[in-house]
Amino acid sequence: MAASGKLSTFRLPPLPSIREIIKLFRLQAAKQLSQNFLLDLRLTDKIVRKAGSLTDAYVYEVGPGPGGITRSILNASVAELLVVEKDTRFIPGLQMLSDAAPGKLRIVHGDVLTFKVEKAFPEHLKRPWEDDPPNVHIIGNLPFSVSTPLIIKWLESMSCRDGPFVYGRTQMTLTFQKEVAERLAATTGSKQRSRLSIMAQYLCNVRHIFTIPGRAFVPKPEVDVGVVHFTPLIHPKIEQPFKLVEKVVQNVFQFRRKYCHRGLGMLFPEAQRLESTGRLLELADVDPTLRPCQLSIPQFKSLCDVYRRMCDEDPHLFAYNFREELKQRKSEKKEKEDDGESHRL
């Protein structure tokens, strides 16, 4: 109990400000890496508060940069904070924080897209999926260039219960461009409804909790930034493999301004497209003249369930890619044109 008392009263000693750290180590945000520094500690404190209680928690921070959110997490009475930073320029500033918080901050120089977080924290933190979320949290101010691929990677891990989700229903609090944040939380029928909306919401409770104005960052991005909180659902709203759901959803939204039957047709080879699309929509009880943004998650569930049955009937169907068929047809057409040209010569 004594150790827990110490944890709850921990505060970082006086340190150079984030602006001073940036000057001290001559740090500049790399435009090609879409880096933007958040310097206002009131805002970083707010992000950390919105993550929920972090007392005695184990936190995985992605993209710490000069360490603004890192400071706020360390001041939230965590048991341990693990930061993974790809850019070596930020390591000395983070090391300064580590020295000021002995035993609390672990720094890994690595890439969040490949780092194996499932081996990073103690085994005793693991909770059954049906229980409350474990005392493990992911927090990060992500560079825009990696935010979408990273959330898709984590959603897939969530569906498989691996990666950060070996510990249970690990919660995430992450920043995105405001437009992406709005897509993640968009409701049925809204203009922002997209592939990301469905992929996130069939697996999680998603909340766009607040927006940070672009002027709070250095350098100032051209867009505002949304903070989004994810809590994995005990039961996914679609009980199918992630790749199958992703394929159906991607195909529907590739023609987002058309009726949904247009994108769904691309799931099938051209020779059977009309018939199979009609069968899919009929069995799923989905109106073919709905736009992609008008489809609810229960409707996507019906479409995925029926498509799965059709794939089970035809083992080659899931591997079908309409782009490959298109490429092959173009290649065959070119060969015929070349043959015709050679005959005329």
Side-chain angles (χ1 to χ4, degrees), residues 40-97:
D40 188 335
L41 289 180
R42 290 170 303 177
L43 285 171
T44 59
D45 284 348
K46 186 176 180 181
I47 291 171
V48 170
R49 281 198 309 276
K50 294 295 185 181
S53 172
L54 298 184
T55 303
D56 296 350
Y58 288 74
V59 180
Y60 172 33
E61 185 189 358
V62 292
I69 295 179
T70 313
R71 293 181 183 217
S72 296
I73 296 170
L74 288 170
N75 280 329
S77 306
V78 297
E80 181 180 277
L81 170 58
L82 166 68
V83 298
V84 175
E85 179 54 66
K86 187 177 183 179
D87 194 329
T88 52
R89 298 174 304 146
F90 297 125
I91 302 298
L94 293 169
Q95 191 58 54
M96 186 181 287
L97 284 177

Side-chain angles (χ1 to χ4, degrees), residues 146-161:
V146 302
S147 60
T148 300
L150 187 58
I151 193 60
I152 289 293
K153 173 184 163 64
W154 277 341
L155 289 169
E156 183 168 8
S157 291
M158 194 184 294
S159 76
C160 301
R161 302 183 187 179

Side-chain angles (χ1 to χ4, degrees), residues 82-226:
L82 166 68
V83 298
V84 175
E85 179 54 66
K86 187 177 183 179
D87 194 329
T88 52
R89 298 174 304 146
F90 297 125
I91 302 298
L94 293 169
Q95 191 58 54
M96 186 181 287
L97 284 177
S98 181
D99 294 341
K104 282 187 173 288
L105 178 58
R106 190 153 44 109
I107 302 164
V108 172
H109 174 224
D111 187 338
V112 295
L113 288 168
T114 54
F115 180 70
K116 303 287 187 189
V117 71
E118 58 266 39
K119 297 177 182 174
F121 294 128
E123 286 281 316
H124 71 78
L125 294 170
K126 292 182 177 179
R127 296 283 177 273
W129 195 260
E130 296 73 23
D131 282 7
D132 288 340
N135 212 5
V136 176
H137 295 255
I138 299 174
I139 299 176
N141 174 31
L142 304 172
F144 295 157
S145 60
V146 302
S147 60
T148 300
L150 187 58
I151 193 60
I152 289 293
K153 173 184 163 64
W154 277 341
L155 289 169
E156 183 168 8
S157 291
M158 194 184 294
S159 76
C160 301
R161 302 183 187 179
D162 61 19
F165 306 99
V166 297
Y167 304 100
R169 295 186 298 120
T170 300
Q171 297 177 82
M172 304 186 286
T173 308
L174 304 167
T175 63
F176 299 88
Q177 290 182 53
K178 185 186 174 191
E179 183 184 343
V180 176
E182 288 172 343
R183 284 181 196 160
L184 283 160
T187 54
T188 306
S190 74
K191 281 192 283 189
Q192 289 88 0
R193 188 78 158 173
S194 70
R195 170 183 74 114
L196 275 179
S197 317
I198 309 303
M199 298 309 294
Q201 292 172 33
Y202 97 84
L203 289 163
C204 300
N205 175 21
V206 182
R207 290 186 298 124
H208 178 188
I209 43 184
F210 71 102
T211 299
I212 304 173
R215 64 178 179 276
F217 293 83
V218 175
K220 178 183 177 296
E222 294 176 6
V223 294
D224 293 338
V225 171

Side-chain angles (χ1 to χ4, degrees), residues 153-340:
K153 173 184 163 64
W154 277 341
L155 289 169
E156 183 168 8
S157 291
M158 194 184 294
S159 76
C160 301
R161 302 183 187 179
D162 61 19
F165 306 99
V166 297
Y167 304 100
R169 295 186 298 120
T170 300
Q171 297 177 82
M172 304 186 286
T173 308
L174 304 167
T175 63
F176 299 88
Q177 290 182 53
K178 185 186 174 191
E179 183 184 343
V180 176
E182 288 172 343
R183 284 181 196 160
L184 283 160
T187 54
T188 306
S190 74
K191 281 192 283 189
Q192 289 88 0
R193 188 78 158 173
S194 70
R195 170 183 74 114
L196 275 179
S197 317
I198 309 303
M199 298 309 294
Q201 292 172 33
Y202 97 84
L203 289 163
C204 300
N205 175 21
V206 182
R207 290 186 298 124
H208 178 188
I209 43 184
F210 71 102
T211 299
I212 304 173
R215 64 178 179 276
F217 293 83
V218 175
K220 178 183 177 296
E222 294 176 6
V223 294
D224 293 338
V225 171
V227 180
V228 183
H229 185 80
F230 303 83
T231 305
L233 297 169
I234 294 176
H235 301 292
K237 292 179 181 176
I238 303 173
E239 298 269 6
Q240 294 295 349
F242 184 87
K243 290 295 185 191
L244 184 141
V245 178
E246 187 176 42
K247 186 177 182 185
V248 171
V249 174
Q250 275 181 334
N251 275 278
V252 168
F253 278 100
Q254 69 179 320
F255 300 110
R256 57 178 301 113
R257 290 183 176 83
K258 307 282 188 184
Y259 293 139
C260 67
H261 71 80
R262 178 78 171 84
L264 286 166
M266 297 299 107
L267 291 168
F268 305 103
E270 190 176 29
Q272 66 185 74
R273 185 163 294 156
L274 201 61
E275 181 190 346
S276 295
T277 308
R279 182 176 170 227
L280 170 62
L281 285 157
E282 185 182 353
L283 290 173
D285 193 23
V286 170
D287 181 347
T289 63
L290 288 173
R291 310 278 179 189
C293 68
Q294 295 173 308
L295 292 174
S296 65
I297 289 183
Q299 286 172 316
F300 271 105
K301 177 189 185 305
S302 294
L303 289 166
C304 290
D305 289 347
V306 174
Y307 179 64
R308 171 66 184 269
R309 293 206 298 272
M310 295 171 85
C311 288
D312 288 344
E313 290 167 11
D314 177 359
H316 303 294
L317 182 57
F318 185 69
Y320 169 74
N321 183 320
F322 79 92
R323 288 188 176 88
E324 291 297 322
E325 184 178 34
L326 198 60
K327 197 190 303 180
Q328 191 176 342
R329 284 214 317 272
K330 282 181 179 175
S331 174
E332 288 169 357
K333 184 180 176 185
K334 190 174 184 307
E335 279 179 24
K336 284 179 184 175
E337 286 171 354
D338 291 346
D339 286 345

